[in-house]
Amino acid sequence: MSEMSNPSQSNSGDELDSTRSFSADLIAEDQLALSDEDQAAVDALPSGNALLIVRRGPNKGSRFLLDQNRITVGRHPNADIFLDDVTVSRRHAEISRNNSAFTIKDLASLNGTYYEGARVDSQALVNLAELQVGKYHFTFYASKKDS
């Protein structure tokens, strides 16, 4: 008769941490990889403009050009960035542009606006920043002409 080991005893914390780290690395790598078409869109951004690309969630791959001084984000059909999901408030957030600098501001949404995983009321956006509005995960791409 062979002796079976208890799975909880054989699974060390190091293995679990290693798996979590590996998983996080894969997600991060996947989020930074752009298709040739997306890369061309980012490369072609005029000065003072930016691009949001949906990296995870509904409408993955969708791109939103940020080319106005005030851009509304929400579930309301009149929002500049219309996100059709119940996890998004009708008036969820606003992105404002001052010259080539962009800021996201939460508009007292129910589920909040997240920047790099932390809930924020207002936050300046930097190139490659990760944003979350409801189930939508975005990457922010600033024009390379403004670097």
Side-chain angles (χ1 to χ4, degrees), residues 81-134:
I81 298 177
F82 173 60
L83 303 176
D84 191 16
D85 191 87
V86 296
T87 60
V88 178
S89 296
R90 293 184 207 295
R91 294 186 67 244
H92 197 103
E94 181 178 277
I95 298 172
S96 58
R97 174 180 69 176
N98 184 5
N99 296 320
S100 61
F102 289 84
T103 302
I104 191 162
K105 178 182 177 187
D106 186 78
L107 299 176
S109 66
L110 182 62
N111 292 322
T113 301
Y114 292 81
Y115 178 87
E116 297 293 337
R119 191 170 182 160
V120 295
D121 290 326
S122 181
Q123 178 66 49
L125 301 177
V126 298
N127 194 41
L128 301 179
E130 298 297 322
L131 300 173
Q132 182 181 348
V133 174

Side-chain angles (χ1 to χ4, degrees), residues 2-12 15:
S2 65
E3 184 177 312
M4 298 197 57
S5 64
N6 184 343
S8 64
Q9 291 174 343
S10 66
N11 189 6
S12 71
E15 290 174 11

Side-chain angles (χ1 to χ4, degrees), residues 25-35 39 55 127-130 139-141:
D25 291 345
L26 281 178
I27 290 170
E29 200 173 287
D30 177 54
Q31 289 175 347
L32 292 178
L34 288 176
S35 69
Q39 187 62 59
R55 306 303 286 168
N127 194 41
L128 301 179
E130 298 297 322
T139 301
F140 172 83
Y141 294 91

